[in-house]
Amino acid sequence: MPVIRSSEAVVHEMHGARFVSYATPLTGARELCAWRGEIPAGTKAPAHTVNREEIFHLLSGELLITLDGRGERVTAGDTVIINPGATLAVENPTTEVAISWVTTSIGLEAELADGTRVTPPWAN
């Protein structure tokens, strides 16, 4: 039975945020991956278009999520469903760190506005 202890999670940093990956092919996942996101106060991640569905659940804090040009303030307990092909931007306009939990299928890629493709190591 694969059990990933919090002390064994792999930490990545990108665009001012911290991603703590738990479920990946390297830890035994076959179809899904999952990670905790830590979005510091004042962070504004660049808009990116995803190729896989993501389920983004906010555990604590508050964020401004812009999905396909429509902004929505989300608070702890809210879940955002991001469909493949959607363009997503995340901003933490508050003074507190926001903590999220994200689940998606293995193979997630994101494309930035300038055409750069990003393959997050915590999602593959």
Side-chain angles (χ1 to χ4, degrees), residues 2 7 9 50 52 57-58 67 71 73 75 88 101 113 117 120:
S7 62
V50 296
R52 301 266 198 259
H57 181 76
L58 193 59
L67 193 59
R73 191 168 292 270
T75 58
L88 167 72
W101 184 260
R117 288 183 114 26

Side-chain angles (χ1 to χ4, degrees), residues 22-25 29 31-35 102-108 122-124:
Y22 294 89
T24 72
E31 295 182 20
L32 300 175
C33 53
W35 64 88
V102 179
T103 303
T104 189
S105 55
I106 292 169
L108 175 74
W122 57 88
N124 289 284

Side-chain angles (χ1 to χ4, degrees), residues 18-79:
R18 188 172 182 214
F19 303 90
V20 184
S21 64
Y22 294 89
T24 72
L26 293 176
T27 59
R30 293 186 181 157
E31 295 182 20
L32 300 175
C33 53
W35 64 88
R36 185 180 73 232
E38 301 171 2
I39 304 101
T43 298
K44 186 173 184 176
H48 55 285
T49 303
V50 296
N51 69 332
R52 301 266 198 259
E53 181 176 67
E54 285 186 58
I55 306 301
F56 183 103
H57 181 76
L58 193 59
L59 297 169
S60 67
E62 187 174 324
L63 293 171
L64 177 61
I65 303 284
T66 303
L67 193 59
D68 290 333
R70 180 172 175 238
E72 186 84 33
R73 191 168 292 270
V74 295
T75 58
D78 292 346
T79 299

Side-chain angles (χ1 to χ4, degrees), residues 93-123:
T94 74
T95 59
E96 304 293 325
V97 173
I99 307 293
S100 65
W101 184 260
V102 179
T103 303
T104 189
S105 55
I106 292 169
L108 175 74
E109 290 183 348
E111 184 173 335
L112 303 177
D114 67 1
T116 302
R117 288 183 114 26
V118 177
T119 303
W122 57 88

